[in-house]
Amino acid sequence: MSDGGVIGQLAQALIGRRGALSAWVGVNDAIVAETLAREDFDAVTLDLQHGAVDYAGAAQAMLAVALAGKPTIARIPVDDVALASRLVDAGAAAIIAPMIDDAAAARRFAEHIKFPPLGRRSWGPRAAQSLTGLEGADYMRGANAVTLAIAMVETREALAALDAILATPGIDGVFVGPNDLSIGLSRGDAIAPDGAEVERALGEVAARAAAHGKFAGLFCPDGRRAKWAGERGFALRTVSTDLALLRAAARAELAAAR
Ligand code: 3PY
Ligand code: MG
């Protein structure tokens, strides 16, 4: 029986609590995703919410990332569960769904990632079968354990419903968006992703996720924050973004040149 191939690596890292550091890609080009996958990241996250990545670009990027031996995570636009289901067919190891505010939204999302009895994912795992090393009924029976549904916690409402979201069948973990969370907590007064209010909330999210036996993740703008988050129990940490890395390298090299 396959261990889930390149897709299964992510569940092993996150559910096994070893944790995973993921690159973050918003450029709609498989070469960018593959280039980062060939660095020492455990996974690559494609951003279809705020990034320029679309379905066709993601489908190609996931194969390029898999060639580098890494799993892909995809963040979908708000409420786009139809796209979530296409992305898991195309080989995503996990889907991150933004702005999940209550158990009903969490359930609706998870249902499209998981086959019965956990959900009602529709059959058609085009690339996912070869990337897991599972075929037909074996894939159907094995997919729920290795194809992860991750709900974003990034509003006041989500914090209030945290236990209900974490208890939702099919939800494997939660992922905090600290920018939106800071906007929500300050009622639109500030963007302070590393402010005191967000920090308090992060402690709560890590503790509640652990109590439910699920993993927590955090969007981190740099490696230092990712290390900090790892020490506070966040298993999934995304590190910087493709464009931020490009900008920082350009600035550093130009400063050295002048
Ligand atoms: C946030 O910080 O709100 C995010 O969604 C990170 O991309
Ligand atoms: Mg957000």
Side-chain angles (χ1 to χ4, degrees):
M1 184 76 170
S2 163
D3 58 1
V6 75
I7 287 182
Q9 286 174 30
L10 189 69
Q12 279 159 31
L14 294 177
I15 293 168
R17 293 285 187 280
R18 175 161 44 83
L21 293 172
S22 176
W24 186 274
V25 171
V27 174
N28 195 21
D29 189 321
I31 294 172
V32 173
E34 185 193 349
T35 300
L36 288 170
R38 291 196 181 276
E39 297 303 317
D40 195 21
F41 290 105
D42 301 299
V44 172
T45 301
L46 304 175
D47 187 11
L48 289 84
Q49 182 191 16
H50 294 300
V53 183
D54 59 16
Y55 170 77
Q60 287 183 357
M62 287 194 269
L63 298 182
V65 169
L67 268 182
K70 305 287 173 67
T72 300
I73 302 166
R75 177 166 77 168
I76 55 170
V78 176
D79 289 338
D80 201 342
V81 290
L83 181 58
S85 134
R86 296 184 76 200
L87 289 166
V88 289
D89 287 346
I95 302 293
I96 296 178
M99 297 286 184
I100 297 291
D101 281 350
D102 54 33
R107 182 82 196 114
R108 184 172 136 72
F109 161 53
E111 273 178 354
H112 286 80
I113 308 298
K114 307 288 184 177
F115 289 117
L118 213 42
R120 54 190 192 96
R121 177 177 166 190
S122 165
W123 180 256
R126 190 180 52 73
Q129 293 188 91
S130 48
L131 294 184
T132 51
L134 296 166
E135 292 287 326
D138 285 339
Y139 175 80
M140 202 255 298
R141 281 190 285 268
N144 285 357
V146 295
T147 313
L148 307 178
I150 306 174
M152 284 195 80
V153 169
E154 51 181 352
T155 60
R156 271 178 184 274
E157 292 76 8
L159 276 185
L162 185 56
D163 277 312
I165 292 169
L166 281 162
T168 301
I171 292 292
D172 297 290
V174 290
F175 184 78
V176 177
N179 294 287
D180 277 314
L181 187 58
S182 70
I183 294 172
L185 290 176
S186 69
R187 299 195 190 278
D189 203 43
I191 303 182
D194 47 9
E197 272 196 302
V198 169
E199 223 133 276
R200 261 195 307 279
L202 289 177
E204 180 71 11
V205 171
R208 297 314 305 154
H212 283 265
K214 305 213 168 159
F215 64 83
L218 179 66
F219 176 86
C220 301
D222 53 37
R224 191 187 301 218
R225 185 67 164 171
K227 190 167 197 297
W228 178 94
E231 290 163 357
R232 279 153 189 80
F234 286 85
L236 174 60
R237 287 147 293 144
T238 59
V239 184
S240 192
T241 70
D242 50 358
L243 292 183
L245 292 170
L246 197 59
R247 260 194 318 267
R251 283 178 192 171
E253 295 308 324
L254 281 169
R258 290 219 159 90

